Amino acid sequence: METTQFVLPNVWMGVGVVIALFAIFYYVGWVAAKKTTSEEDLYAAGFSIGPVTNGLGMGATWASLATFMGVIALIYKLQVPFVYLWIQWALSIPLLTLLYGTCLRRMKAFTPASFIKVRYGNQAAMVIIAWMCLSMIMYALGQMIGLGLAFEVLFGLPYKYALIIVGIATVGFITLGGMYGASYNAAFQMLVMTIALVVPMGAVMKAMGSSGWWFPPLAYGDMVPQMLEQIPTFFDMKYDYRWYFALIPAFTMGPIALPHLAMRVFTSSSVKNARWSVVWFILFLGLLFSGCYTAGFAGNYFTATTGNEIAKPDQTILILNVFYNPTLVAAFVIGGAVAAGMSTIGGNLMAIAGLIGSDLLGILAPKMEGRKKLRWGYLALGIGGIITILLAFNPPAFLVTSILWAFGLLATTTTPSILLGVWWKQANRMAMIITSVVCGLIYIIISPHVLSGIVVGKGLVAALGMSEAMLTVPLSFASFIVLSLIFNKMQIAAPSMEDKQMIDRIHGWGSDYDEKRYNGTIMPLIIVAVCVIIFIWGLQPW
Amino acid sequence: MKEKLYKKELFTTVLFIVILLIFGHSAQFFKLFPSAQGGSMWGFPIHYIIPILLGWFGLLVLTIIMAKVLNKLDDEMEQYIESIESGEGSQKNV
């Protein structure tokens, strides 16, 4: 079997497409910079983004280089189970919006940590800011390394020079435009990446002999029989049932707490528009994701029918386009990959800036005047970007091993704090801090990335954080609830009347306070019982 | 009225969480009941295409319903709050 590597026949076409895209990103950033005069503008685009633009922006922020390249590689290697893993990512923003997004939009929070600060106090906020910054750096680092590698291939430059060029160019337009620029650029980037992924796949499918080329995301069914002849196991539901269930604690619960996704909800022009943004998000993301599955399928089909093995599965989409499409189309697909990486870095850096420049600074220097805070915000945005570039030169192995692993960490440390904080008046500050720190450390310790001698689960399941999350996510919810009940009984850090009134207010009750609302104990205890069952299940050998 | 609105908020939230999880994780159904994996649709094995469709169009329809139902609930809550505040205002005037 021959191995195929990606080589763009005409490099200058690729360079031209990338330069044209950067020109547009900078123009949008420059226009947006003129609109940014306050913290609300910098971190939340003045709470003014409409549903369609925001839906596109949500899709772009969520869909990263991993969607464009990584998942296709995983489908190429591991086939259908990874399609299932990817499908459930679409739940992130609908669940986030339903469970707390609209509540926090009502209080005009910039990040979820802004809520944690008000609900649980400064110490708790610092714990959550630390976890969120770690996850955002892991996320942005993965994207930055991916972009550096893409530019290395495209320009034929050594990785370090490619990284400096793409890194500074990317951080520049994001810092220039703030959240206004990030929002409008993300909407544009979503259009670019969707067109670049889906449309050329139609031509690839036509060349492969499929009659469904007119709608690549769903019309490649006629290629299935030939695929099954070559790879009979492609559609097999490998792994046991627990693997599929573990997707919920590891990968559904984690993204709920991703600050860069939450910030997209907060930029909405109203609470109601935030909900309509979710509808557009699902429409656009579904199209993009389904295009990914098609590309993953086509990569396998390509190998099975032509005998060409793809040397670097990350490059599947690029190789298919170089192999079957004209150079200009292949160059545009590179543009799509670049857009995918940039939109996510934009979201990550905005989140880091919000967490450091607004939330952390609000704790350390609460009386700082608005204009000065704005300058610090820009500084945090730029410094966050430079740190990401510097880390990408020689990345610590544990930071890039798996971005997906960080989702389980967030599900353990942060999701319970936000959800119980919003929906349960008895959620206790001390219980939150202890649970977040202890369960987060347990998650890190039992994963294979730090202490390889103490691991729960094995292989990919452990590397992705699935076996760890099956233990620490239910442990975190259960211990938070139980400790809250105990501490409240002992009058340790019990929620104040102000905390409780805030909960009613963010749910839309205004000044109509009712002590009984969101204050039960039966439902939390049922959750504890369910968590104990999942925890015991997770303890069984993988 | 407020008790009814509160229960409605909790009920709709729990209901939508459950349906969202079912639509986003529908592949689990085929793993739990392997006999359901038999058929095909549009040329694809049913256990492949159904999760993709539910994860896209299923969620799309559900989020439209969510937006309509929850926005209506917001309107009802706003009306309730306004009625309380106007009641308080008229009492003060008296």
Side-chain angles (χ1 to χ4, degrees):
Chain A
M1 194 174 266
E2 281 182 49
T3 53
T4 310
Q5 279 195 314
F6 169 71
V7 180
L8 191 67
N10 184 343
V11 170
W12 293 106
M13 261 188 204
V15 173
V17 167
V18 170
I19 288 174
L21 284 176
F22 266 101
I24 295 168
F25 300 155
Y26 267 89
Y27 176 73
V28 172
W30 176 68
V31 172
K34 291 195 280 190
K35 292 173 85 172
T36 306
T37 57
S38 65
E39 271 201 299
E40 289 194 354
D41 295 331
L42 179 64
Y43 301 121
F47 301 107
S48 66
I49 306 295
V52 181
T53 308
N54 213 9
L56 280 165
M58 287 170 171
T61 308
W62 194 204
S64 61
L65 262 179
T67 304
F68 218 87
M69 300 168 98
V71 67
I72 296 170
L74 284 169
I75 296 171
Y76 182 77
K77 275 178 157 175
L78 300 148
Q79 301 162 351
V80 159
F82 273 80
V83 172
Y84 300 140
L85 189 157
W86 225 254
I87 288 170
Q88 59 81 42
W89 293 134
L91 293 176
S92 55
I93 291 188
L95 275 174
L96 186 163
T97 308
L98 175 68
L99 287 170
Y100 76 89
T102 47
C103 291
L104 269 59
R105 170 62 185 79
R106 269 192 200 100
M107 68 181 283
K108 295 201 165 182
F110 293 149
T111 75
S114 315
F115 164 75
I116 296 289
K117 190 169 77 176
V118 179
R119 174 69 175 84
Y120 300 105
N122 290 347
Q123 284 174 316
M126 286 171 89
V127 170
I128 294 299
I129 288 168
W131 290 125
M132 284 186 167
C133 280
L134 176 66
S135 71
M136 284 297 94
I137 284 175
M138 283 183 78
Y139 216 132
L141 188 58
Q143 307 300 313
M144 197 63 90
I145 292 167
L147 282 175
L149 291 171
F151 271 53
E152 182 187 23
V153 172
L154 181 62
F155 291 93
L157 286 169
Y159 170 73
K160 288 189 177 178
Y161 295 117
L163 182 66
I164 291 171
I165 293 169
V166 72
I168 291 175
T170 306
V171 173
F173 82 79
I174 295 165
T175 307
L176 182 68
M179 189 52 109
Y180 272 117
S183 300
Y184 291 117
N185 265 325
F188 172 68
Q189 285 156 348
M190 184 65 181
L191 290 175
V192 171
M193 69 174 99
T194 306
I195 294 169
L197 185 72
V198 174
V199 178
M201 275 312 298
V204 170
M205 282 169 59
K206 194 171 185 182
M208 286 178 161
S210 172
S211 61
W213 57 268
W214 52 273
F215 192 56
L218 293 173
Y220 51 100
D222 61 343
M223 295 160 78
V224 169
Q226 206 177 341
M227 170 71 107
L228 285 175
E229 268 177 34
Q230 306 287 337
I231 310 176
T233 57
F234 183 80
F235 292 103
D236 283 3
M237 294 185 82
K238 303 168 191 84
Y239 313 119
D240 64 359
Y241 175 71
R242 190 168 49 161
W243 188 93
Y244 296 86
F245 182 85
L247 296 176
I248 298 175
F251 301 133
T252 302
M253 302 300 288
I256 292 175
L258 280 172
H260 67 306
L261 296 189
M263 287 169 83
R264 283 261 135 260
V265 179
F266 304 158
T267 60
S268 289
S269 50
S270 68
V271 168
K272 288 179 181 170
N273 279 343
R275 295 193 183 107
W276 285 113
S277 304
V278 177
V279 174
W280 291 105
F281 161 76
I282 290 291
L283 179 67
F284 297 127
L285 194 81
L287 182 59
L288 185 74
F289 276 10
S290 298
C292 269
Y293 313 145
T294 310
F297 179 93
N300 279 275
Y301 189 88
F302 171 77
T303 298
T305 54
T306 65
N308 286 294
E309 195 181 357
I310 295 171
K312 293 180 180 170
D314 273 349
Q315 298 176 349
T316 301
I317 184 83
L318 304 176
I319 287 170
L320 289 174
N321 278 282
V322 167
F323 201 86
Y324 291 108
N325 282 333
T327 307
L328 184 60
V329 175
F332 183 62
V333 175
I334 291 173
V338 168
M342 288 189 175
S343 58
T344 306
I345 292 182
N348 297 150
L349 293 185
M350 285 308 310
I352 292 170
L355 291 164
I356 305 286
S358 173
D359 297 325
L360 190 60
L361 207 62
I363 294 168
L364 300 176
K367 289 178 184 165
M368 187 182 283
E369 60 166 306
R371 188 174 282 221
K372 213 171 175 183
K373 264 186 162 177
L374 186 65
R375 277 206 296 273
W376 274 95
Y378 273 115
L379 199 65
L381 193 51
I383 290 174
I386 289 166
I387 288 172
T388 311
I389 297 171
L390 292 176
L391 281 172
F393 274 110
N394 194 12
F398 81 96
L399 278 186
V400 283
T401 305
S402 176
I403 297 170
L404 300 188
W405 176 83
F407 292 157
L409 183 65
L410 269 184
T412 302
T413 58
T414 309
T415 304
S417 313
I418 301 172
L419 298 191
L420 290 171
V422 167
W423 287 96
W424 194 40
K425 283 177 180 159
Q426 295 186 54
N428 177 289
R429 172 167 52 90
M430 195 60 74
M432 192 234 98
I433 295 172
I434 292 172
T435 304
S436 180
V437 173
V438 173
C439 293
L441 290 176
I442 293 174
Y443 180 85
I444 291 170
I445 288 168
I446 63 174
S447 77
H449 304 304
V450 181
L451 296 173
S452 54
I454 310 171
V455 182
V456 172
K458 56 190 172 193
L460 196 67
V461 165
L464 295 179
M466 293 169 73
S467 49
E468 300 93 301
M470 271 288 277
L471 290 178
T472 53
V473 175
L475 179 67
S476 183
F477 272 100
S479 55
F480 189 177
I481 292 168
V482 172
L483 286 177
S484 290
L485 292 171
I486 294 169
F487 288 153
N488 289 344
K489 196 94 178 160
M490 295 165 70
Q491 289 295 314
I492 299 171
S496 65
M497 179 54 79
E498 208 178 317
D499 296 333
K500 294 177 186 177
Q501 284 172 338
M502 190 258 288
I503 292 173
D504 276 15
R505 229 171 20 248
I506 63 175
H507 281 272
W509 296 101
S511 55
D512 179 53
Y513 178 73
D514 188 335
E515 178 71 17
K516 285 184 195 159
R517 259 187 234 134
Y518 317 110
N519 209 7
T521 45
I522 293 174
M523 186 54 89
L525 289 175
I526 291 172
I527 293 172
V528 170
V530 172
C531 286
V532 169
I533 293 167
I534 297 171
F535 179 81
I536 293 168
W537 192 19
L539 277 175
Q540 309 309 308
W542 282 79
Chain B
M1 173 72 172
K2 74 173 176 183
E3 191 63 23
K4 197 177 145 198
L5 282 173
Y6 173 59
K7 281 185 177 164
K8 196 172 169 184
E9 187 199 8
L10 293 187
F11 175 75
T12 50
T13 305
V14 172
L15 184 70
F16 284 132
I17 292 170
V18 171
I19 304 175
L20 279 168
L21 288 176
I22 289 171
F23 280 17
H25 291 275
S26 57
Q28 286 189 23
F29 170 81
F30 293 100
K31 190 68 196 177
L32 272 177
F33 304 102
S35 59
Q37 293 182 25
S40 74
M41 182 179 166
W42 302 343
F44 298 104
I46 206 153
H47 65 275
Y48 175 73
I49 194 67
I50 292 289
I52 289 177
L53 290 175
L54 283 178
W56 184 4
F57 297 109
L59 287 180
L60 183 67
V61 172
L62 183 60
T63 50
I64 291 170
I65 296 169
M66 264 170 63
K68 283 185 174 285
V69 170
L70 296 175
N71 284 352
K72 188 166 170 274
L73 181 65
D74 272 5
D75 288 338
E76 288 170 7
M77 278 169 94
E78 275 167 27
Q79 271 177 8
Y80 166 71
I81 299 299
E82 275 170 23
S83 70
I84 290 179
E85 283 171 359
S86 62
E88 281 173 2
S90 59
Q91 273 183 350
K92 277 178 193 167
N93 290 338
V94 170

